[in-house]
Amino acid sequence: MAAEGFDAATDYRASMPQFTQEVYEKNDALFEFLRRIAAEHGATTGQISLAWMLEKRPWIVPIPETRKVERMHENLAAADIRLSLAEVEAIDAELDRIPTSGVFGGTRVEA
């Protein structure tokens, strides 16, 4: 959801650069790639992102922010997703290949 979808009076995300339409468009190829992997696992893109971090560094403890209990359960379920080495390498390759917005900088977690 681009910043236009957030109420500037009640949601700080409306002012954050990573939620602008321009950034969404720049990162769309990466989002589509993650949606395909998520569909293969019956998961969300957020779960795949968390699972990727856990596969890269099992001792990482991601602390995703949420206000909704169902999102907390969704995030916790990411720990049960096992990405193959090929999937982790494919995500790494996409992060290197796809030009992402300056907000994210295109950096990836090194193994």
Side-chain angles (χ1 to χ4, degrees):
M1 171 182 291
E4 294 81 23
F6 301 119
D7 180 359
T10 60
D11 196 327
Y12 70 93
R13 292 175 292 184
S15 66
M16 297 176 74
Q18 62 264 44
F19 292 111
T20 64
Q21 188 63 39
E22 177 186 3
V23 168
Y24 267 56
E25 290 169 9
K26 286 182 179 179
N27 292 327
D28 194 51
L30 178 60
F31 295 150
E32 181 54 37
F33 175 75
L34 292 174
R35 282 190 285 270
R36 284 194 311 269
I37 293 175
E40 291 171 9
H41 285 272
T44 66
T45 54
Q47 287 174 316
I48 295 302
S49 298
L50 290 168
W52 171 77
M53 283 191 285
L54 292 169
E55 291 290 342
K56 297 290 286 183
R57 301 270 199 234
W59 41 263
I60 285 179
V61 180
I63 306 173
E65 181 180 344
T66 185
R67 295 180 186 178
K68 298 178 180 179
V69 172
E70 61 269 19
R71 292 287 181 238
M72 180 186 67
H73 291 290
E74 178 183 305
N75 291 335
L76 289 171
D80 296 328
I81 297 171
R82 296 292 175 257
L83 299 175
S84 69
L85 177 59
E87 289 171 317
V88 171
E89 289 173 347
I91 292 170
D92 288 345
E94 286 298 298
L95 287 171
D96 283 344
R97 185 185 72 74
I98 296 172
T100 55
S101 78
V103 173
F104 298 110
T107 0
R108 65 184 176 94
V109 177
E110 295 297 327

